[in-house]
């Protein structure tokens, strides 16, 4: 299927035909995800499992088997997993540098992750008083050495803002969650414990914050940001998620998890064990939407129609970006519908064009800022 034919097919999708949308997104990801490896900096997260095969017959029943939606030959090679250490017993900031007057690079020793993790930090424009913290998460190809946000607009946008911004490096293909066991490709992952338990007191002490927090992310990081918020409602006052998927316990949500993990060679059965286990439901932000009450919430997504950033995009990358954004749109509509049913206010921006790509997420920072600013008390 050419990218032009794909966009045309999506445009002809019958109103309310979600199974058609899931099928288009799934088939396109399976057929074209070879483009993810070449386009990792521009595409966010997606989701899947191991080296088996996708239980395609389960689409109708709303469950997904433990196989892989990304064939091994098309997976992105994450390189060797970070080595783990057994000598880290206390979470601590063990190194720091100041590349510029408004940026810091912190290295944190994490008992949960059993290794050291780096953070890119933007300092407030006005540091005369204690300021809040915005945590920011990357997509599926998150690198260990630098946040994608550092090269996609964050330093420029936050230069005159009175908030600390902490960008977490690493977490590739992990969905920023706690895995039940180590993965041969993605290593040891206890990201939720690191982000929600170990990191906040270190950051509050180091930066002298006022202990007001919000979290934002794109794609896989957007899903994780919402997940962290509903699972730790006392920790964050607001959340912004760009092109995320917010279910884990239905067909589309399970496919998203499968594709995210297996696109990087990982096995989701190492994450939350049995596909029918309770963790899949516990991490579902739609099912747990009541826990988002009284939060400032911002959602945004494109519609899969290529826009101004795709003039020179190769067909594979374009097809992947289209499919992922179509899936993200369905996920966003589902969370919005649930929040509306619960009468929980949410700001949602459905863009008139745009695929799953960094250019559009960079544009969302100023659009999300009014919501985040309110959450941060600024």
């Amino acid at each position: 299927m050419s990218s032009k034919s794909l966009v045309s097919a999506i445009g002809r999708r019958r109103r309310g035909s979600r199974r058609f949308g899931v099928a288009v997104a799934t088939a396109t990801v399976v057929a074209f995800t070879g483009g993810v490896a070449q386009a990792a900096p521009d595409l966010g997260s997606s989701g899947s499992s191991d080296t088996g095969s996708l239980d395609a017959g389960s689409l109708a029943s709303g469950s997904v088997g433990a196989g892989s939606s990304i064939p091994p030959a098309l997976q992105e090679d994450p390189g060797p997993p970070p080595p783990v250490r057994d000598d880290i017993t206390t979470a601590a900031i063990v190194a720091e540098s100041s590349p510029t007057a408004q940026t810091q690079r912190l290295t944190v020793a994490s008992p949960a992750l059993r290794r050291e993790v780096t953070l890119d930090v933007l300092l407030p424009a006005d540091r005369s008083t204690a300021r809040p913290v915005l945590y920011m998460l990357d997509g599926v190809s998150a690198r260990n050495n630098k946040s994608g946000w550092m090269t996609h607009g964050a330093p420029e946008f936050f230069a005159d803002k009175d908030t600390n911004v902490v960008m977490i490096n690493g977490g590739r293909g992990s969905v920023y969650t706690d895995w039940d066991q180590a993965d041969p490709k993605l290593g040891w992952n206890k990201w939720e414990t690191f982000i929600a338990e170990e990191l906040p007191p270190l950051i509050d002490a180091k930066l002298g914050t006022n202990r007001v927090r919000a979290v934002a992310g794109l794609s896989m990081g957007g899903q994780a940001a919402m997940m962290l918020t509903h699972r730790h409602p006392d920790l964050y006052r607001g959340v912004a998620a760009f092109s995320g998927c917010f279910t884990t316990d239905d067909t589309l949500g399970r496919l998203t998890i499968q594709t995210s993990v297996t696109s990087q060679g990982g096995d989701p059965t190492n994450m939350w064990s049995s596909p029918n286990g309770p963790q899949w439901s516990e991490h579902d932000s739609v099912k747990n939407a009541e826990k988002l009450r009284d939060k400032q919430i911002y959602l945004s997504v494109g519609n899969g129609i290529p826009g101004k950033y795709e003039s020179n995009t190769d067909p594979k990358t374009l097809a992947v970006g289209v499919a992922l954004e179509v899936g993200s749109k369905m996920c966003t509509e589902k969370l919005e519908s649930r929040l509306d049913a619960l009468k929980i206010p949410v700001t949602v921006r459905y863009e008139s064009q745009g695929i799953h790509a960094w250019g559009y997420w960079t544009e969302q920072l100023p659009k999300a800022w009014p919501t985040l600013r309110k959450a941060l008390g600024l």
Side-chain angles (χ1 to χ4, degrees):
M1 180 185 290
S2 69
S3 57
K4 183 176 180 181
S5 298
L6 176 65
V7 173
S8 177
I10 292 170
R12 294 195 302 269
R13 178 167 62 95
R14 295 189 301 274
R15 184 183 301 274
S17 181
R18 288 185 174 272
R19 287 186 62 192
F20 177 84
V22 172
V24 168
T26 304
T28 306
V29 169
V30 172
F32 290 102
T33 307
V36 171
Q38 293 86 346
D42 295 320
L43 299 179
S45 112
S46 123
S48 178
S49 175
D50 179 29
T51 57
S53 60
L54 177 67
D55 181 7
S58 64
L59 287 175
S61 64
S63 63
V64 174
S68 174
S69 61
I70 307 298
L74 298 180
Q75 293 168 6
E76 185 175 1
D77 183 4
V84 297
R85 293 167 43 186
D86 294 326
D87 63 329
I88 300 175
T89 58
T90 302
I93 296 172
V94 296
E96 61 180 280
S97 62
S98 299
T100 71
Q102 203 170 347
T103 64
Q104 288 186 346
R105 165 61 68 95
L106 303 179
T107 301
V108 179
S110 166
L113 290 170
R114 300 172 62 192
R115 65 182 179 91
E116 294 181 353
V117 180
T118 60
L119 312 172
D120 289 308
V121 178
L122 302 176
L123 299 174
D126 179 358
R127 291 163 232 172
S128 62
T129 188
R131 296 298 187 184
V133 186
L134 173 64
Y135 290 90
M136 299 190 75
L137 304 175
D138 268 6
V140 74
S141 298
R143 301 302 196 254
N144 290 321
N145 59 351
K146 191 172 188 178
S147 169
W149 287 109
M150 287 295 288
T151 53
H152 289 92
E156 294 80 8
F157 178 74
F158 289 107
D160 62 347
K161 306 299 187 293
D162 291 328
T163 185
N164 299 282
V165 181
V166 175
M167 292 160 281
I168 298 168
N169 299 330
R172 187 168 181 152
S174 70
V175 200
Y176 294 107
T177 189
D178 283 3
W179 289 42
D180 290 344
Q181 55 191 357
D183 185 84
K185 279 286 189 180
L186 300 178
W188 181 257
N189 294 296
K190 294 288 184 181
W191 287 97
E192 181 176 350
T193 298
F194 172 70
I195 294 170
E197 296 180 21
E198 295 179 345
L199 195 54
L202 295 178
I203 291 298
D204 290 341
K206 175 63 180 175
L207 303 181
T209 78
N210 63 6
R211 292 173 169 74
V212 174
R213 308 174 191 93
V215 60
L218 64 99
S219 193
M220 181 190 80
Q223 179 175 28
M226 197 65 64
M227 217 183 271
L228 286 164
T229 303
H230 94 244
R231 288 173 60 78
H232 302 273
D234 294 335
L235 193 61
Y236 307 104
R237 295 191 184 181
V239 55
F242 314 142
S243 303
C245 194
F246 310 106
T247 60
T248 55
D249 207 23
D250 65 358
T251 298
L252 187 57
R254 288 172 180 250
L255 283 171
T256 298
I257 296 292
Q258 277 196 319
T259 305
S260 289
V261 176
T262 55
S263 73
Q264 306 301 306
D267 180 352
T269 61
N270 291 322
M271 187 171 72
W272 296 331
S273 298
S274 169
N276 298 316
Q279 293 190 79
W280 291 86
S281 180
E282 292 166 0
H283 287 81
D284 191 307
S285 294
V286 173
K287 283 190 172 182
N288 293 280
E290 178 59 40
K291 296 179 181 178
L292 296 171
R293 189 173 297 279
D294 299 325
K295 307 300 176 190
Q296 298 296 319
I297 307 169
Y298 180 91
L299 304 173
S300 72
V301 69
N303 58 6
I305 296 176
K308 59 185 177 182
Y309 297 110
E310 283 69 61
S311 58
N312 296 312
T313 303
D314 67 86
K316 278 187 178 181
T317 301
L318 181 62
V320 173
V322 167
L324 296 181
E325 202 67 3
V326 168
S328 296
K329 185 172 185 289
M330 289 189 287
C331 291
T332 301
E333 291 169 342
K334 190 164 189 174
L335 179 57
E336 180 191 21
S337 176
R338 178 62 177 154
L339 292 171
D340 285 348
L342 294 172
K343 295 182 170 25
I344 297 175
V346 57
T347 299
V348 187
R349 190 176 184 97
Y350 294 102
E351 300 292 356
S352 59
Q353 61 179 202
I355 69 170
H356 212 70
W358 263 111
Y360 303 103
W361 301 322
T362 300
E363 289 186 348
Q364 287 304 318
L365 275 178
K367 296 175 182 179
W369 181 240
T371 300
L372 291 172
R373 182 176 59 198
K374 187 173 181 179
L376 295 168
L378 297 173

